[in-house]
């Protein structure tokens, strides 16, 4: 893992939904300027982790520090104004607003100092930069967001978050419901944003191959806890990850033939 100072630190966080413990004793660090992926099957607790960091859900216990200061149990809008912006699962664009109006909504969460009177030129420049990353959004600027394709809505959700000028972008399942071609396009743009702006990105994803190929560091969650952590390059070489997340190196049965089903992994 990176030795760069952590921008975000999560320590022993536990979050519950009523009587159900969704994440238990989770600890991770996100270094400034890195893309960090959290991988895991559906129900592993990935979305709960992002929502807890973003303030959508309060943790039962544990500490979440951003730039060395605790932010757990703060309101989501206050956390957003510190420079953390969440792109939620399922995009959640405003369907009856145009693309341009959706982008404008992102400016309400601009960081203190970035959101001030007379910032119109900065907003316009940010919007043009987003159109440079997502040309299709510029073509459809006057179109209602609800009429966009799933891939275009994902682009719009990311663009709207970028209008807030975040230092840390939280991406929840950016490939959800997208074709392999669009998934590659979205991840390529995420990588480009990181390279061009130095923005730190924490993403959760079920598409392990796409995430590991584009992120720097990775964590694997199972049943609400972190079971593995390393650089993505190192994780891709681990036998467990190759078999259970990349579909490679399937074990052979007693007759020497490759198994055609996945065994249940027990992490230790």
């Amino acid at each position: 893992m990176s030795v760069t100072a952590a921008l975000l630190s999560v320590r022993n966080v536990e979050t519950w939904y009523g009587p159900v413990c969704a994440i238990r004793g989770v600890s991770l660090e996100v270094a400034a300027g890195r893309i960090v992926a959290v991988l895991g099957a559906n129900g592993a607790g990935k979305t709960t982790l992002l929502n807890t960091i973003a303030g959508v859900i309060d943790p039962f216990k544990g500490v979440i520090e951003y730039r060395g200061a605790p932010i757990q149990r703060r309101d989501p809008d206050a956390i957003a104004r510190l420079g953390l912006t969440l792109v939620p699962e399922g995009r959640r664009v405003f369907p009856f607003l145009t693309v341009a109006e959706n982008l404008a909504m992102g400016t309400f969460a601009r960081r203190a100092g970035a959101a001030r009177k007379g910032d119109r030129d900065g907003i316009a420049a940010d919007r043009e930069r987003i159109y440079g990353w997502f040309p299709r959004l510029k073509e459809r600027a006057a179109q209602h967001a609800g009429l966009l394709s799933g891939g275009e809505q994902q682009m719009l959700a990311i663009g709207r978050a970028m209008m807030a000028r975040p230092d840390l972008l939280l991406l929840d399942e950016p490939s959800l419901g997208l074709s392999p071609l669009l998934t590659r396009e979205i991840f390529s743009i995420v990588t480009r944003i990181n390279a061009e702006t130095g923005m730190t990105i924490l993403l959760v994803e079920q598409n392990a191959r796409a995430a590991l190929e584009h992120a720097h560091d990775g964590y694997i969650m199972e049943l609400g806890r972190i079971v593995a952590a390393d650089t993505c390059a190192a994780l891709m070489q681990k036998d467990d990850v190759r078999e259970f997340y990349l579909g490679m190196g399937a074990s052979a049965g007693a007759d020497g033939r490759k198994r055609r089903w996945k065994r249940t992994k027990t992490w230790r």
Side-chain angles (χ1 to χ4, degrees):
M1 303 289 287
S2 171
V3 295
T4 309
L7 180 67
L8 175 74
S9 178
V10 177
R11 298 197 302 274
N12 299 316
V13 165
E14 191 172 286
T15 301
W16 291 68
Y17 291 111
V20 178
C21 184
I23 57 175
R24 56 193 77 195
V26 167
S27 297
L28 60 79
E29 290 192 346
V30 178
R34 307 281 282 184
I35 302 177
V36 178
V38 179
L39 312 177
N42 188 32
K46 307 184 303 300
T47 292
T48 300
L49 174 61
L50 280 197
N51 284 337
T52 302
I53 293 170
V56 178
I57 307 170
D58 286 336
F60 179 73
K61 66 178 182 180
V63 177
I64 303 171
E65 288 186 346
Y66 178 68
R67 297 190 181 279
I71 61 170
Q72 70 274 7
R73 299 183 182 85
R74 297 191 66 174
D75 290 337
D77 61 322
I79 291 176
R81 287 187 171 84
L82 291 174
L84 291 84
T85 303
L86 173 67
V87 179
E89 181 181 6
R91 278 86 69 176
R92 299 188 188 180
V93 298
F94 298 99
F96 299 112
L97 298 183
T98 66
V99 166
E101 290 168 340
N102 268 269
L103 292 177
M105 294 296 287
T107 64
F108 288 99
R110 286 168 92 85
R111 287 175 293 130
R116 59 184 181 272
K117 189 174 181 180
D119 193 34
R120 291 182 180 178
D121 290 343
I123 290 173
D126 289 346
R127 184 172 58 244
E128 288 305 312
R129 181 168 62 167
I130 290 164
Y131 284 153
W133 289 322
F134 304 110
R136 274 178 279 182
L137 295 184
K138 187 170 186 176
E139 296 170 4
R140 293 160 173 75
Q143 184 172 327
H144 284 171
L147 300 178
L148 301 179
S149 69
E152 290 165 348
Q153 288 187 10
Q154 185 64 69
M155 295 174 188
L156 179 56
I158 295 173
R160 182 182 60 193
M162 294 295 294
M163 288 296 292
R165 289 188 179 177
D167 292 321
L168 174 57
L169 188 64
L170 307 174
L171 279 176
D172 193 353
E173 300 281 6
S175 74
L176 182 67
L178 303 185
S179 68
L181 180 62
L182 280 172
T183 295
R184 288 194 294 271
E185 183 176 354
I186 291 293
F187 271 95
S188 177
I189 293 170
V190 168
T191 303
R192 181 181 169 189
I193 290 172
N194 170 258
E196 292 183 3
T197 69
M199 181 175 296
T200 308
I201 298 172
L202 174 62
L203 65 93
V204 304
E205 183 57 64
Q206 288 190 56
N207 188 329
R209 182 178 297 278
L212 289 173
E213 287 176 350
H214 290 86
H216 301 112
D217 306 311
Y219 292 85
I220 294 177
M221 287 190 74
E222 291 283 353
L223 300 176
R225 61 193 181 98
I226 301 292
V227 296
D230 212 324
T231 64
C232 288
L235 285 173
M236 291 185 76
Q237 300 306 313
K238 293 181 181 293
D239 291 340
D240 289 334
V241 175
R242 289 168 63 86
E243 180 175 355
F244 292 96
Y245 288 93
L246 304 180
M248 303 167 63
S251 302
D255 57 1
R257 299 173 64 182
K258 292 287 184 72
R259 292 194 177 105
R260 299 187 62 178
W261 65 88
K262 290 185 177 180
R263 294 179 289 111
T264 299
K265 172 63 182 170
T266 300
W267 298 87
R268 299 186 185 279

